[in-house]
Amino acid sequence: MKLSVIVPVYNLENYIEQCIDSILVQTYSDFELLIIDDGSTDRSLSIINDYSKNDNRIRVITKENEGISLTRNRGIQEASCDYLYFVDGDDWIHKETLKSHMNLVEQVPNCDLVLGRMSMFFDGETKLKEDEFIVENEVVANKSGKNAFVAIIDEIGFIRLGVRGLFKRKFLLKHKLFFKPHMYSEDVEWMMNCILSAEICASNDNAYYHYRARRPGSLVNTPSIKKSLDVLNIYQTWICIADAEEDSIFKQYFYNEISERFINTFIEFSSQFVPAKIDMNLFHSKVNQEKNIIKKSKRKKTLLKGLPLLIMGSKLTSKLYYYIKKWKNRNSQPSYF
C-alpha cells in the first residue's frame, strides 16, 4: 500500500460514521485507515472499534487526550505508507478524493506534497460551497514550494493554507514537520512550513474535501484572546523567516501575504471581541507591538486597509472595523469562507 489516511477523533460520536463511510467507499481502495482516538469520553471509540471489526484496512490507536496536533503527529509516526492524507473526524470526502490525489503522484513523480481544495458546509445542512482557491496542476507542477507559492499568488491573488492535501511521509520526517501542540491555527503554521521546505509540488483542483463549519463546541466558533495571540505569533515567526530569506522575489511575496493576513486577522478577531465585550488589552498590546508588519507590504490595498491601524492604534481601529463590517454584512448571508 502507498497511502495512509489519518483521522484524529475526539468526542465526535455524531459525525465519525459519516467520515469513515466516506473513506471506505473510495474508488481507490488500496490504503490503510489509521484512526486515532484522542481520549474520547463519548461513544466515538466504540463506533470506531465496530468499524475495525469489519474492515481489515482500519487500524485503531487510542491515547490520552492531548489535542489534535499531537494526535496528527502520532498518525505521522505510526503510518506505514509512502503518502499521508488527513481527514478530521467531523469532515468527510468525495468518493474520488484518494484516486485523484494518487493520480497526481503518478503525473508528478517524487512530489513532496499535493495541494488540495475543499468545499464547506454548515453543520446540520447538506449544501456544499466550493472554495475559490482553484489552482490547476499546471501552475505548480514540479515547482518548489516557494516557487509554487509565487505562482499561485500570480495566478489567483491569494493562497489557502490548511491540511487539505497529500503529503509524502519521508518528506515530513526528513524536515521534522510536525504540528505544534496546544496552539490555534496549527494547521496554517504547519502547512506554511511544508511549503517552505517542499522541493516538488503538485495541485489537485477538485474541491473534494468537505469541511464542516459552525459545529457546536468547535474551537473555531469560540471567541478567545489566546486564539488571536496564537495567530499573531505565527505571523511574527513568519516575518523572521522572511527577513532571513535570500530569494528577493519570494521574500516580497511572503511579506505581502503576511501583511494581508495580519490586517484581516485583526479585523476578524475585532468583529468577535467587540460585541462579546471581552477584555481586549492583551490583544491590543500584541497588535500595537506588531502592526508595523503592515508596512512590509507593497500591495496598495493592504496598506490602505491597514492605515487606520497604523495611525490610530488597535483599540480605536478595532471598534471602527467592527462597525464597518457590521454595516457591510447587515443584509448578507452567512459566509462560508
Side-chain angles (χ1 to χ4, degrees):
M1 287 188 287
K2 291 185 176 181
L3 177 60
S4 297
V5 181
I6 297 172
V7 179
V9 176
Y10 177 69
N11 286 355
L12 296 175
E13 62 182 2
N14 295 326
Y15 307 102
I16 189 59
E17 291 183 53
Q18 183 182 28
C19 175
I20 296 175
D21 287 341
S22 74
I23 296 169
L24 295 182
V25 299
Q26 291 292 302
T27 55
Y28 181 93
S29 59
D30 190 23
F31 62 86
E32 72 163 354
L33 175 52
L34 191 57
I35 307 178
I36 307 168
D37 183 78
D38 187 32
S40 293
T41 57
D42 64 359
R43 294 181 53 253
S44 295
L45 182 57
S46 175
I47 294 170
I48 295 165
N49 284 333
D50 286 343
Y51 272 94
S52 69
K53 295 173 184 176
N54 298 313
D55 197 311
N56 59 14
R57 294 174 297 178
I58 299 176
R59 184 152 56 101
V60 180
I61 294 175
T62 59
K63 56 189 279 296
E64 295 180 358
N65 180 247
E66 297 175 300
I68 193 166
S69 289
L70 293 177
T71 304
R72 287 187 181 131
N73 290 346
R74 181 72 177 273
I76 295 172
Q77 294 163 340
E78 293 278 354
S80 62
C81 301
D82 296 336
Y83 283 91
L84 310 181
Y85 188 84
F86 297 89
V87 186
D88 286 353
D90 54 345
D91 299 333
W92 60 285
I93 57 176
H94 187 279
K95 66 179 181 179
E96 297 288 343
T97 303
L98 302 185
K99 183 178 180 180
S100 65
H101 276 84
M102 295 307 291
N103 284 344
L104 283 164
V105 170
E106 293 182 4
Q107 295 174 32
V108 186
N110 299 315
C111 66
D112 294 317
L113 62 87
V114 179
L115 298 170
R117 183 169 169 237
M118 69 177 180
S119 299
M120 186 179 286
F121 65 101
F122 291 135
D123 187 44
E125 300 180 9
T126 58
K127 180 182 177 181
L128 293 169
K129 172 67 175 179
E130 292 189 356
D131 190 359
E132 296 176 353
F133 181 66
I134 306 172
V135 180
E136 295 181 355
N137 189 44
E138 291 74 14
V139 175
V140 303
N142 290 300
K143 288 184 172 69
S144 69
K146 292 179 181 179
N147 289 337
F149 181 95
V150 171
I152 291 168
I153 299 296
D154 283 342
E155 183 74 14
I156 64 174
F158 72 101
I159 190 165
R160 188 83 73 195
L161 299 173
V163 190
R164 300 289 177 264
L166 192 71
F167 305 89
K168 184 191 288 184
R169 182 171 181 267
K170 286 184 179 179
F171 160 70
L172 299 181
L173 295 176
K174 176 184 177 181
H175 295 281
K176 298 179 181 179
L177 294 168
F178 295 101
F179 295 87
K180 289 185 180 177
H182 313 304
M183 71 178 293
Y184 181 70
S185 284
E186 79 295 328
D187 55 340
V188 171
E189 191 264 355
W190 180 83
M191 187 62 195
M192 192 68 238
N193 287 338
C194 289
I195 290 173
L196 291 170
S197 301
E199 295 180 6
I200 302 176
C201 297
S203 179
N204 188 339
D205 62 0
N206 295 296
Y208 282 165
Y209 188 103
H210 302 323
Y211 172 78
R212 186 184 306 271
R214 300 186 179 181
R215 176 173 64 83
S218 171
L219 180 62
V220 175
N221 301 320
T222 308
S224 164
I225 294 296
K226 181 188 179 303
K227 284 166 49 177
S228 69
L229 299 181
D230 284 347
V231 178
L232 294 173
N233 283 331
I234 290 172
Y235 300 155
Q236 185 179 13
T237 300
W238 287 356
I239 284 292
C240 293
I241 294 172
D243 286 343
E245 176 60 47
E246 296 180 356
D247 182 333
S248 60
I249 294 176
F250 174 75
K251 184 189 194 85
Q252 189 56 57
Y253 275 70
F254 199 16
Y255 278 148
N256 293 346
E257 183 67 18
I258 299 166
S259 301
E260 180 70 15
R261 284 175 176 267
F262 180 87
I263 186 62
N264 288 341
T265 295
F266 169 75
I267 294 171
E268 180 59 34
F269 279 113
S270 293
S271 70
Q272 296 178 22
F273 296 159
V274 172
K277 298 181 179 180
I278 290 175
D279 184 346
M280 298 173 64
N281 285 332
L282 287 175
F283 175 72
H284 292 319
S285 176
K286 184 66 175 178
V287 170
N288 287 330
Q289 179 185 343
E290 303 296 337
K291 66 182 181 181
N292 285 332
I293 286 175
I294 298 167
K295 296 180 181 179
K296 297 279 189 178
S297 178
K298 288 189 176 180
R299 292 176 181 166
K300 290 183 179 180
K301 183 178 179 181
T302 302
L303 292 170
L304 286 172
K305 189 161 49 174
L307 190 60
L309 179 56
L310 290 171
I311 295 174
M312 298 189 299
S314 178
K315 190 171 184 178
L316 289 175
T317 310
S318 63
K319 294 180 180 179
L320 171 66
Y321 272 120
Y322 163 67
Y323 287 111
I324 290 174
K325 186 173 182 179
K326 182 179 180 180
W327 182 80
K328 284 184 175 180
N329 294 341
R330 63 193 185 282
N331 296 317
S332 63
Q333 296 295 317
S335 173
Y336 286 84
F337 298 102

